[in-house]
Amino acid sequence: MTSAENDRAYVHWAREGISASALWRSANGAPAPSSVVPVDDTITADAAYRLASQGVAMLWSGDFQNARQILTALEHRTRPRPDKSQRTTGELFYRYRQNRSHRARILGLLLVPMRAGNIIELRRAPDVVAATVDAYGSIAEESVVSLHEVLGTIGAHQWRTKGIPVAALNASIYPHYGTFFPVRSEYVDLVATAPLAAPNLAFDIGTGTGVLAAVLAARGVPRVIATDIESRAVASARETMVQLGLSKRVEVQLTNLFPAGRADVIVCNPPWIPATAHSLLDAAVYDPGSRMLKGFLAGVLDHLQPGGEVWLVLSDFAELVGLRTRDDLLTAIESAGLRVIEALDAPAVHSRATDTSDALHAVRANEVTTLWRLCAS
């Protein structure tokens, strides 16, 4: 069961008649499981799947590598079955989202204990201190975390350690856990090559890792203000500017949408799919009701210098799966008092566009990202 204490959630379980509890932690904002049972190496994959399907979380006390094997078995059981039915792209997307939600729920129910110092005290457990500090901060009391999430922090830490090359910057960046990694180069390359006059000030709205703000500065914009509503993104973007030697020219602010003042160029690459985010990490891609897109368009003219340009960078994925039409987008642009100067397109080159095993491969292969150059109408 779960209890809350000073807005902190605790999970409770019993082992051999003795009750125990620990603080629940989730870097992705997952709610604490309401039912927890202790399990060990004796549990089978089928039994684990039955428990998870009933919404029962399993707190592991056996060998760490055996827990990983059980998690792998759960992943296999939650993979979508081949579907040869003739379905519309909208139906395919709906089934994809259903499966993603189901998988996330099932895989998130295999838990491991983490003691003070970010240490998983299980046999053959790896050193996860650096990776989990990135995600959870320093842990000072007995806690319980999702094994699937922990493995995600390890993968993200490896990316952070290795760095992500950004061709437009001729450099690598090292994003924090919880920010959207710029592995899709299309939107970065568009901002790096779009016609640019000689702006004195640019805004990058929803900066994430700060990569677009860095590209603008690298192109010669003397001052850039980048904003984001997520503190993890702001910390990541500020570190990016320090690493690239751009911290004197790029200011990163924690704020919703716009900073004070007016800019000559305002850039925004909002989440491109108007659907519900299932986790904090999803929020970089999914924007329920297009709230950020609508908020950006509604307020951008109040922050644009006369004669300035708005660069809206947006994938047409939502159009391909029937969640938005091109007319919807153009009408929203017009209603905001803007007109289109030019639309610069970039076909999909990211890895998922060539992954034929992806249920949405046909959609991703035809995806186009557009930089809409806009001005006051």
Side-chain angles (χ1 to χ4, degrees):
M1 56 184 267
T2 306
S3 67
E5 188 175 301
N6 297 326
D7 297 325
R8 302 198 301 170
Y10 284 79
V11 293
H12 305 266
W13 65 94
R15 181 182 283 114
E16 297 178 353
I18 300 174
S19 297
S21 65
L23 180 65
W24 169 252
R25 293 183 184 269
S26 173
N28 293 330
S34 58
S35 178
V36 180
V37 297
V39 297
D40 56 25
D41 301 315
T42 61
I43 193 170
T44 65
D46 285 340
Y49 185 67
R50 282 195 298 271
L51 284 170
S53 297
Q54 296 164 11
V56 178
M58 295 156 282
L59 178 60
W60 192 266
S61 63
D63 179 272
F64 182 88
Q65 300 305 327
N66 288 347
R68 289 193 65 163
Q69 290 179 5
I70 289 292
L71 188 66
T72 298
L74 293 177
E75 288 178 329
H76 284 299
R77 283 162 173 76
T78 56
R79 285 178 181 169
R81 297 176 181 177
D83 182 3
K84 297 182 180 180
S85 304
Q86 295 297 317
R87 299 184 185 276
T88 66
T89 54
E91 290 170 337
L92 287 172
F93 177 71
Y94 177 73
R95 285 173 59 85
Y96 167 81
R97 289 286 284 160
Q98 273 192 318
N99 179 255
R100 281 283 301 269
S101 178
H102 174 68
R103 282 170 63 85
R105 182 175 62 84
I106 295 295
L107 299 180
L109 290 174
L110 186 58
L111 316 179
V112 292
M114 185 173 288
R115 67 174 173 82
N118 298 63
I119 295 170
I120 296 177
E121 210 163 48
L122 297 174
R123 294 191 307 275
R124 294 199 295 167
D127 181 346
V128 299
V129 174
T132 57
V133 165
D134 283 349
Y136 306 112
S138 296
I139 289 178
E141 76 174 90
E142 296 291 328
S143 301
V144 170
V145 295
S146 155
L147 174 60
H148 187 247
E149 188 173 277
V150 167
L151 297 179
T153 71
I154 294 172
H157 184 68
Q158 290 171 345
W159 274 104
R160 176 162 162 71
T161 302
K162 182 174 64 173
I164 298 175
V166 180
L169 294 170
N170 194 29
S172 292
I173 66 170
Y174 303 85
H176 287 202
Y177 178 85
T179 55
F180 184 72
F181 292 3
V183 292
R184 296 167 62 109
S185 63
E186 299 91 337
Y187 73 101
V188 180
D189 293 339
L190 284 167
V191 171
T193 57
L196 183 66
N200 294 312
L201 173 63
F203 292 164
D204 174 26
I205 308 303
T207 195
T209 61
V211 64
L212 296 186
V215 167
L216 290 168
R219 293 192 65 183
V221 181
R223 184 169 177 241
V224 181
I225 300 178
T227 70
D228 206 289
I229 198 172
E230 288 291 338
S231 57
R232 286 191 291 192
V234 169
S236 185
R238 285 174 177 165
E239 188 174 293
T240 295
M241 301 314 153
V242 172
Q243 291 165 345
L244 296 174
L246 297 172
S247 56
K248 292 184 178 180
R249 294 168 57 195
V250 181
E251 177 186 350
V252 185
Q253 296 183 7
L254 178 66
T255 190
N256 184 22
L257 294 176
F258 303 98
R262 292 177 179 267
D264 305 294
V265 174
I266 303 179
V267 178
C268 184
N269 173 218
W272 56 93
I273 304 178
T276 302
H278 291 151
S279 70
L280 293 179
L281 292 176
D282 273 355
V285 178
Y286 295 95
D287 181 21
S290 299
R291 287 180 301 197
M292 181 176 177
L293 174 61
K294 291 176 180 177
F296 173 76
L297 290 175
V300 70
L301 278 184
D302 291 335
H303 297 273
L304 186 68
Q305 287 281 21
E309 285 192 22
V310 176
W311 289 4
L312 175 63
V313 188
L314 201 62
S315 159
D316 69 349
F317 184 94
E319 297 173 23
L320 295 175
V321 298
L323 294 177
R324 179 170 53 229
T325 67
R326 179 57 57 92
D327 283 346
D328 289 338
L329 177 61
L330 293 175
T331 298
I333 290 171
E334 183 179 357
S335 298
L338 298 164
R339 67 175 177 86
V340 178
I341 302 171
E342 185 180 16
L344 304 172
D345 293 337
V349 294
H350 56 82
S351 60
R352 300 185 75 180
T354 57
D355 181 4
T356 56
S357 68
D358 190 326
L360 294 173
H361 168 257
V363 177
R364 301 191 199 282
N366 291 303
E367 184 181 2
V368 172
T369 299
T370 301
L371 186 153
W372 297 91
R373 295 179 59 209
L374 311 172
C375 66
S377 57

